[in-house]
Amino acid sequence: MTPTFLRRAALLTLTLILGTGLVGSGDAQDSDAPAVSAVPTTPTPEPVPVDPVDTVPVLPPTPVPAPPAEPAQPMPESPVPVVPAPLVPVPVLPGPTLPAPEVPVVPAVELPTPARVRPAPAPLRPPVGSGVRGLWIDAFGPGLKTRAQVTQMVDDAARMGVNTLFVQAIRRADCLCLRASVPRATDPDLEKGLDPLGLSVRLAHARGMRVIAWVSVTGIANAAVPNTNPAHISRSHGPNSGAASWMARRPDGSWQEGNDGWLDLGIPEAAEYAIQGVVSLVRNYSIDGVQLDRIRYPDGDVWGYDPKVLARYRAETGRTGIPAVGDPVWQDWKRQQITNVVRRITLEVKSLRPDAWITAATITYGQPPAPGDLAAFRRTRTYGDVLQDWPAWMHSGLIDLNVLMNYKRDAVGEQRGWFDGWNAFARGVQLRADGLSAGVAAGTAMYLNGAPVTADQAQRSVGAGLGWVGYSYRTPTLDVYGAKETTAQGLNTIQKLLTAPGAVLASPAPWKEQPPTSRGLMGRITGTPVPGFRVVEALQNGRVLAYSLTDGSGYYGFAALPPGKTEVRVSGQRWVDTVPERGVIRLPDLTVRDLKPVTAAPMPVTPAILSPSKP
């Protein structure tokens, strides 16, 4: 093993611990749901767990995509202790002491000396995101297909008291909209000329509700219901495109997970396509933010074996051969590709609209870590199987709101404890590297539980200082999912419970909160055939504040820097600019000159910086 590789492995480990955030403030860390039938999936909530105690009911005749659920897994031997998440109050500076008020002199009356008057302490701000009361609106059934459905959906949500709609926009590299960089979805039930996203925004905003455009980042194809548009990316970069394919593949070259095909974000061109799809929604619609779903690898950790991905991995790390599935360096490198895309989307969006919310639908498979136990998180399937490091995204300011796909069934085994435990863990990692806090909302599987359980899960989530989002409008109860009642009946049932006195929607209130401040910069290096995996430092006053790594296209950036004059160092190049009080600035491209020429044979690229530079 070469000294260069050992240094790079150590660097990658350091980077993964730090995430892309500021140095200090604790460790950093780096989720979605599988489909049910041969049809599409939902906002990457999770896969439905199947166990001997309580199996998921048979789907109705019309194929229903499975929303996020909990995958099959053995039950723990003992209940998971639920530790309440520590609250992270916003610092409150003490107010000035006011002088004692003047007291007029009254003859023959002796007045006591008045006490010094101090202002009442300012109330603590509620936790970020705790005001969210949302519904996922998926695109695989009624709700977004016709003008009448969209109107009815918004009316139903308003009547329920929901304040935020997570509207499915991009499903599999296609959009339920008319103004995106990806083609329109081809669905025979989709009303001609209708722009579901645009109409949802207009009607919801008129009712005081926010709209977050929900995007399946890595979705590209479904063998059962392929997109028939000739311009769809599956025609030019799909499974049968040879060397031009962008599909995530197993070691044997296979690409299907069920009927679905996924983009491999380790292919720079595929990552760029997915990124621009999200950015185009922010550029063309007055949405309040975006939600990144399926921002991970498929289940199983056996993906990433496209020849182009392997060649890039070797060139950037100096490794040779085909990595074993469980090779930790290979896993770390792939995990970094997911984080790179989250970072790039956030910086691109924030450079356009600093007040747009960046949210992610994240995985919570299995037993939760104890609050604050990041080492235990790194032993979960979330981190080691689907390669998603959402605590690092929160710590580094890469997501404003983490919507946990906490799809647990209270009546099954230890899942009630798992539900509360994941909420507590997420609540405990809200603090960002810059002292601000990321938001957390619990996403619950309404379709897996009876209405009383959903109401109780929502109440427990809100009581723990989190927001709440239900999956989904189309399948609001287990009985609707099992075709025992209609969607309208299910909505009526759940509405009564959620709006009852003391319930989470009893007193409807809009969600007007602004996202945590994003202050940062982004840029790109050019001039080298291997632009990825370069260490980037951000310095202020000669001190290194943050590290990052370049992605496969040479992009880098930071989202949670203090404002002020900032120096960027990467591969021997430097640039100085000023980070604004709010927003993201874009630096000019920096041309790097490698000390050694990069030949056709893979050669390790030595990072320019292996430890903090001295001023």
Side-chain angles (χ1 to χ4, degrees):
M1 206 174 288
T2 66
T4 295
F5 167 70
L6 291 174
R7 292 201 309 272
R8 295 183 65 76
L11 171 66
L12 183 53
T13 300
L14 171 65
T15 303
L16 290 165
I17 291 175
L18 294 176
T20 51
L22 305 181
V23 176
S25 298
D27 293 342
Q29 265 74 290
D30 208 353
S31 174
D32 193 90
V36 172
S37 65
V39 193
T41 49
T42 66
T44 307
E46 295 183 50
V48 178
V50 178
D51 55 61
V53 227
D54 182 16
T55 57
V56 176
V58 179
L59 294 177
T62 302
V64 178
E70 183 70 18
Q73 50 205 332
M75 294 296 177
E77 295 180 359
S78 58
V80 179
V82 179
V83 183
L87 293 176
V88 183
V90 175
V92 179
L93 298 178
T97 300
L98 300 180
E102 293 185 1
V103 180
V105 178
V106 180
V109 179
E110 183 177 351
L111 297 177
T113 303
R116 294 170 65 83
V117 178
R118 295 178 183 272
L124 294 179
R125 299 176 188 171
V128 177
S130 60
V132 176
R133 303 291 183 269
L135 272 182
W136 272 299
I137 316 297
D138 70 75
F140 298 112
L144 296 173
K145 304 294 185 68
T146 68
R147 181 175 298 273
Q149 287 181 13
V150 175
T151 303
Q152 182 67 52
M153 177 270 292
V154 173
D155 287 346
D156 289 339
R159 187 162 47 250
M160 186 181 290
V162 165
N163 60 26
T164 306
L165 302 179
F166 292 80
V167 176
Q168 189 159 37
I170 297 178
R171 301 189 308 182
R172 299 188 195 93
D174 55 15
C175 191
L176 275 84
C177 67
L178 298 176
R179 302 194 303 277
S181 62
V182 298
R184 189 171 189 259
T186 55
D187 185 325
D189 297 328
L190 191 56
E191 184 178 316
K192 186 176 180 179
L194 175 67
D195 188 325
L197 178 60
L199 182 59
S200 296
V201 170
R202 182 168 63 83
L203 296 180
H205 282 180
R207 305 293 285 271
M209 289 182 281
R210 283 180 162 174
V211 173
I212 305 294
W214 154 26
V215 176
S216 176
V217 179
T218 53
I220 183 175
N222 183 278
V225 283
N227 186 296
T228 58
N229 189 323
H232 191 263
I233 202 67
S234 62
R235 300 290 186 279
S236 53
H237 297 287
N240 301 316
S241 302
S245 172
W246 290 351
M247 311 294 294
R249 295 182 184 272
R250 299 181 182 89
D252 63 2
S254 60
W255 59 272
Q256 286 186 229
E257 189 208 28
N259 283 312
D260 280 341
W262 298 54
L263 285 173
D264 193 322
L265 299 182
I267 300 172
E269 296 82 3
E272 186 68 23
Y273 187 84
I275 291 164
Q276 293 307 323
V278 179
V279 174
S280 70
L281 299 180
V282 177
R283 190 174 277 125
N284 295 319
Y285 291 91
S286 57
I287 52 178
D288 299 285
V290 295
Q291 179 166 84
L292 309 182
D293 184 30
R294 289 208 167 188
I295 183 67
R296 62 178 180 99
Y297 276 89
D299 290 349
D301 189 29
V302 293
W303 305 87
Y305 288 87
D306 178 279
K308 297 183 294 301
V309 177
L310 294 174
R312 182 182 156 220
Y313 168 70
R314 297 182 193 113
E316 291 183 1
T317 65
R319 304 276 279 189
T320 58
I322 297 177
V325 168
D327 183 334
V329 176
W330 172 233
Q331 291 176 318
D332 286 348
W333 185 86
K334 289 191 293 180
R335 192 180 296 110
Q336 185 66 39
Q337 307 316 305
I338 304 299
T339 295
N340 286 344
V341 171
V342 176
R343 181 198 305 121
R344 177 79 185 287
I345 288 173
T346 295
L347 296 175
E348 292 284 359
V349 168
K350 295 293 187 177
S351 69
L352 291 172
R353 288 173 48 192
D355 291 333
W357 283 85
I358 305 294
T359 82
T362 60
I363 293 293
T364 61
Y365 284 164
Q367 182 172 340
D373 193 344
L374 296 177
F377 174 80
R378 297 187 189 107
R379 295 191 294 269
T380 65
R381 286 188 57 203
T382 301
Y383 186 82
D385 185 328
V386 299
L387 306 179
Q388 190 181 73
D389 191 5
W390 52 256
W393 305 346
M394 297 170 68
H395 182 78
S396 305
L398 298 185
I399 56 175
D400 302 315
L401 177 67
N402 181 3
V403 183
L404 308 172
M405 289 185 293
N406 205 352
Y407 298 152
K408 309 297 186 289
R409 297 174 290 175
D410 277 9
V412 176
E414 305 301 329
Q415 290 191 24
R416 178 184 173 91
W418 293 356
F419 178 86
D420 294 329
W422 276 108
N423 283 349
F425 175 77
R427 185 80 171 83
V429 294
Q430 284 186 267
L431 187 64
R432 302 192 334 182
D434 59 359
L436 300 178
S437 290
V440 181
T444 64
M446 301 164 72
Y447 76 104
L448 286 179
N449 292 291
V453 171
T454 290
D456 186 57
Q457 288 186 342
Q459 194 70 52
R460 282 147 54 200
S461 302
V462 171
L466 283 64
W468 172 79
V469 183
Y471 187 87
S472 72
Y473 168 76
R474 180 174 56 86
T475 52
T477 68
L478 177 61
D479 283 344
V480 173
Y481 187 67
K484 295 179 180 178
E485 65 179 3
T486 65
T487 294
Q489 290 170 329
L491 287 171
N492 184 58
T493 301
I494 194 65
Q495 178 188 342
K496 289 179 179 178
L497 290 175
L498 290 175
T499 59
V504 295
L505 299 181
S507 303
W511 181 44
K512 295 183 177 181
E513 179 184 20
Q514 293 299 305
T517 300
S518 292
R519 293 184 299 258
L521 53 83
M522 65 178 299
R524 182 179 64 164
I525 65 168
T526 61
T528 171
V530 187
F533 201 55
R534 307 291 181 111
V535 182
V536 186
E537 292 178 324
L539 302 88
Q540 291 184 358
N541 299 317
R543 184 169 68 92
V544 177
L545 293 181
Y547 294 96
S548 182
L549 287 174
T550 56
D551 67 14
S553 297
Y555 284 96
Y556 61 87
F558 306 91
L561 293 174
K565 186 177 178 181
T566 303
E567 179 183 352
V568 169
R569 297 180 183 178
V570 54
S571 294
Q573 298 299 304
R574 301 185 181 194
W575 186 266
V576 177
D577 216 314
T578 301
V579 172
E581 289 287 343
R582 191 173 187 86
V584 172
I585 60 170
R586 189 182 299 267
L587 304 185
D589 289 352
L590 298 178
T591 302
V592 303
R593 295 285 183 264
D594 291 321
L595 298 179
K596 296 180 180 180
V598 179
T599 65
M603 294 180 61
V605 179
T606 304
I609 304 167
L610 295 175
S611 59
S613 298
K614 292 187 170 56

